[in-house]
Amino acid sequence: MSQLFSKENKEIFSSPLNLNNPVTVQVLGICSALAVTVQLEPAIVMGLSVTVITAFANVIISLLRKTVPNRIRIIVQLVVVATLVTLVSQVLKAYAYDVSVQLSVYVGLIITNCILMGRLEAFAMQNGPWASFLDGVGSGLGYAWILVAVGFVRELFGAGTLLGIQVIPDVCYEWGYANNGMMTMPAMALIIVGCIIWATRAINDKK
Amino acid sequence: MVKKYLDKIRPNFEEGGKLSAFRSVFDGMETFLLVPNATSRVGVSIHDAIDSKRIMSFVVIALLPALLFGMYNIGYQNAAAAGMLEQTSFIEMFFYGLLVMLPRIIVSYGVGLGIEFVVAQWKKEEIQEGYLVSGLLIPMICPVSTPLWMMALAVAFAVIFAKEIYGGTGMNIFNPALIARAFLFFAYPTSMSGDACWVATESFCGLGHNVVDGFTAATPLGIAAAGQAVNFAETSTFVGLIPGSVGETSVIAIAIGAALLLVTKIASWRTMGSVFVGGAVVAWLFNIAGMETNVVANIPWYEHLATGGFCFGAVFMATDPVTSARTEKGQFIYGFLIGVVAITVRVLNPGYPEGMMLAILLMNMFAPLIDYVFVQRNINMRLNRVKK
C-alpha cells in the first residue's frame, strides 16, 4: 500500500493540478474551457467527464502499451477514447439529460481534447497502469478546477446565479446593479483564463 | 514659484522619505507642471521642446469644444424632453450639463489614474501620462445616463487589460478609451444603446427637469437601424443638438478640435482625411446600390459622415498615435479601411447602429501589419537599388 502512494506517485497526481496544469501551463483544452463555462453546472459535469475519461483511457492504454504496434498506436488510442466518450455521453443522457443538452457536442468533442491525447502519448505509453491512473485523474482534475473557477466567475457575474440559484440579492438590482453581458461571451472566458494563468504564475514564481 | 515649492517638498519623496510611497505621484506632477529636469546622460540626443505630456495636454484642449458643447447639449436634450425648452435659459442648460458630466469625468480620472499610480509605484516606474486623454474621452463617448459604477468598471477593465498588461502607454495595441466603450457596449447593452439612454432624465442640484419615466429618444442612426425614416434636418446633425453620446453630436465643435490637432501636427492629416474618404466612398456606393429595404443604406453619404460617432472617431480616436499606423502610406490605408468598415457595419448589420467603435478597434489590430508591409516594401526597394 505504501508503494501505491509513494512520493513519486503523489507527485504524478499533484503536479498537473498546479505546476504542470494542462490548461494554465500547457495551454491545452482551451476551446472547451471557453465553450462550456457560461454556467457552473455544465462546467462541473464537463470537468468530471474529462477526469473519468482521461483516467480510464490512461489505464487501458497503459495496459495495452506493450502489445500495440507503434505505427497504429494513435488509432488504438482514438478507439479507446471514443469508446469511453460514448459511454460517458450515454450515462449523461440517461441521468443528467438537461446538462447533456447544454453540453451538446462538447461531450463528443472530448475525443479531440488535446489533454487526452497528450496524456496518452506522453505518459500512458511509458508507464504502468497505476501511475497512469493517477496521472489521468490528476490531469482531469487540473482541467476541471480551471473550468469550475471560470464557470463560477462567469455565472456569478453574468447571470447573478450559481448552479441556477440566484445569489445576488434583488436589492442590488434595485440599486442599479446589472448582470454583465460580457461574461456570457467566450471572449470574457478567455480573459478569465488569462487572469488565472497570471495569478498562478505569480504565485508559483514566488515559491 | 511652482519649481521652488516642488524643490522644497522633494526630500519627502526620495528613498526613505516619509512620503516615499507617493514618489511616482510626485514625479508625475513635477514633470506635468515643469519640463523634466533629468536629461539623458549617455551619448548625444536631441530633444523636442514638447514631450508626450505636452502632446496629451494639446489633445485635451482640442477636446474641450466638443466637451463644452456636449454639456450644453445634455441640458438642451433634458429641457426638450421635459417640454420646457422655452422656459430654460442657456446658462441653466449648460450648468445642468456641467453638473451631470463632472462626476463622470471625476470617476473616470479617479479610477484610471488610481490604477496607473498603483502600477507605477509597484513597478517602480514613472507614472505614464497616457491616461490624461483616455480619461476625458471615456465619459465623452458614453451615453449620458451610463451609471457611474459601470463607467468605473469599464475604466478599470480598459486600463488593466488594454494598457497595463501590454506594458503601459505606448505599448498598447488597442485604444483604451474604445476598449472601455466596447466593454460597456457588450456587457451592458441596455445602458449603452437603444432609445432609453441618451437623455439625462433627472434633475440634479436644483437644475434641469425630471422627465416622466419611460421617455425614449433614439439617435438618428438608432432610428434608421430600426427601419424608420430619419427626419433630422442636416443642420441639426451638423450643429449637434441631437441625442447621442456626449462628445459626438456636434460636427462644428469636433471640427474646431480637429483644426487644432492638425495645425499643431499632433494628429495625422493622412489618417483623418482618409477615414472620411473611405466612409464617403462606401456610403455613396450603398446609396447607388439600390437597397430599397435598408433605410441606413439610403442615408445620403454626407449625412453618414455627420451622424453618430463618425467625426469624433475619425478626429480623436483613429488618429491616436500609439494605436494607428505609423508609416505615411500605411496611414492612408489604415484610415480608409476604418471609414469603409464603419459604414459597412452601420449599413449591413442591424444589430449595431454604429460601427465606428468596432471599425477602429478592428483596424487597431491591423495597424502593425500595415506598417510591416510598407516597411518591408521600402527595404526591398532599397535593396534592389543597391543590387543594381
Side-chain angles (χ1 to χ4, degrees), chain A residues 22-136:
Chain A
V23 183
T24 62
V25 178
Q26 300 170 8
V27 199
L28 299 174
I30 293 292
C31 331
S32 51
L34 305 188
V36 300
T37 51
V38 177
Q39 283 166 323
L40 192 52
E41 198 182 354
I44 294 173
V45 173
M46 182 75 175
L48 288 179
S49 310
V50 171
T51 308
V52 170
I53 294 170
T54 325
F56 286 101
N58 257 3
V59 171
I60 295 169
I61 291 297
S62 165
L63 289 171
L64 295 174
R65 71 183 188 278
K66 284 173 187 153
T67 51
V68 179
N70 207 21
R71 276 195 206 156
I72 59 160
R73 65 181 197 284
I74 300 280
I75 298 173
V76 175
Q77 287 165 8
L78 271 178
V79 169
V80 171
V81 174
T83 316
L84 287 166
V85 167
T86 314
L87 280 176
V88 166
S89 162
Q90 294 302 322
V91 170
L92 283 183
K93 272 188 189 146
Y95 294 101
Y97 185 71
D98 292 341
V99 181
S100 82
V101 170
Q102 268 182 307
L103 287 173
S104 65
V105 295
Y106 290 99
V107 176
L109 283 178
I110 294 177
I111 299 172
T112 59
N113 195 317
C114 333
I115 299 171
L116 268 165
M117 296 306 280
R119 289 336 287 167
L120 295 180
E121 273 288 285
F123 200 89
M125 290 301 283
Q126 280 93 36
N127 292 283
W130 174 244
S132 299
F133 178 76
L134 286 179
D135 178 74

Side-chain angles (χ1 to χ4, degrees), chain B residues 23-269:
Chain B
R23 176 187 47 78
S24 56
V25 183
F26 176 77
D27 260 7
M29 289 313 290
E30 187 188 19
T31 45
F32 179 66
L33 294 169
L34 305 165
V35 176
N37 52 7
T39 46
S40 96
R41 284 156 209 271
V42 189
V44 182
S45 47
I46 298 172
H47 277 279
D48 201 331
I50 64 173
D51 61 1
S52 58
K53 281 192 176 102
R54 248 46 61 175
I55 290 181
M56 298 288 176
S57 320
F58 262 115
V59 180
V60 169
I61 294 169
L63 278 167
L64 283 180
L67 178 65
L68 295 176
F69 184 86
M71 288 175 176
Y72 165 62
N73 192 33
I74 293 171
Y76 181 88
Q77 292 302 328
N78 172 264
M84 308 273 271
L85 213 48
E86 272 148 34
Q87 291 96 311
T88 317
S89 69
F90 174 82
I91 303 288
E92 266 175 354
M93 289 180 193
F94 179 78
F95 274 98
Y96 174 70
L98 181 72
L99 283 176
V100 172
M101 270 310 274
L102 215 52
R104 301 173 173 279
I105 297 173
I106 292 170
V107 164
S108 165
Y109 273 124
V111 174
L113 289 179
I115 294 172
E116 293 253 352
F117 283 155
V118 170
V119 172
Q121 199 67 44
W122 174 39
K123 289 183 168 173
K124 303 216 184 310
E125 282 173 359
E126 261 186 79
I127 284 181
Q128 293 165 331
E129 56 283 357
Y131 192 71
L132 211 57
V133 173
S134 312
L136 193 57
L137 281 172
I138 292 170
M140 286 178 72
I141 55 177
C142 288
V144 63
S145 66
T146 317
L148 287 177
W149 70 268
M150 283 184 192
M151 193 167 273
L153 192 67
V155 166
F157 179 86
V159 172
I160 294 173
F161 288 101
K163 202 152 112 190
E164 294 304 343
I165 60 167
Y166 288 109
T169 303
M171 317 286 272
N172 44 324
I173 301 174
F174 299 109
N175 188 324
L178 278 175
I179 290 288
R181 193 185 194 286
F183 177 81
L184 286 171
F185 182 82
F186 288 111
Y188 306 105
T190 48
S191 320
M192 286 302 290
S193 53
D195 51 12
C197 63
W198 304 106
V199 176
T201 52
E202 278 169 7
S203 68
F204 199 81
C205 297
L207 283 167
H209 311 280
N210 278 310
V211 180
V212 282
D213 276 356
F215 172 81
T216 61
T219 60
L221 283 173
I223 296 172
Q228 292 150 2
V230 188
N231 57 359
F232 280 94
E234 195 191 331
T235 49
S236 179
T237 56
F238 203 66
V239 176
L241 290 173
I242 48 170
S245 297
V246 178
E248 72 176 15
T249 56
S250 169
V251 176
I252 296 176
I254 294 167
I256 297 171
L260 184 68
L261 287 183
L262 290 179
V263 167
T264 52
K265 292 192 177 160
I266 288 170
S268 150
W269 64 268

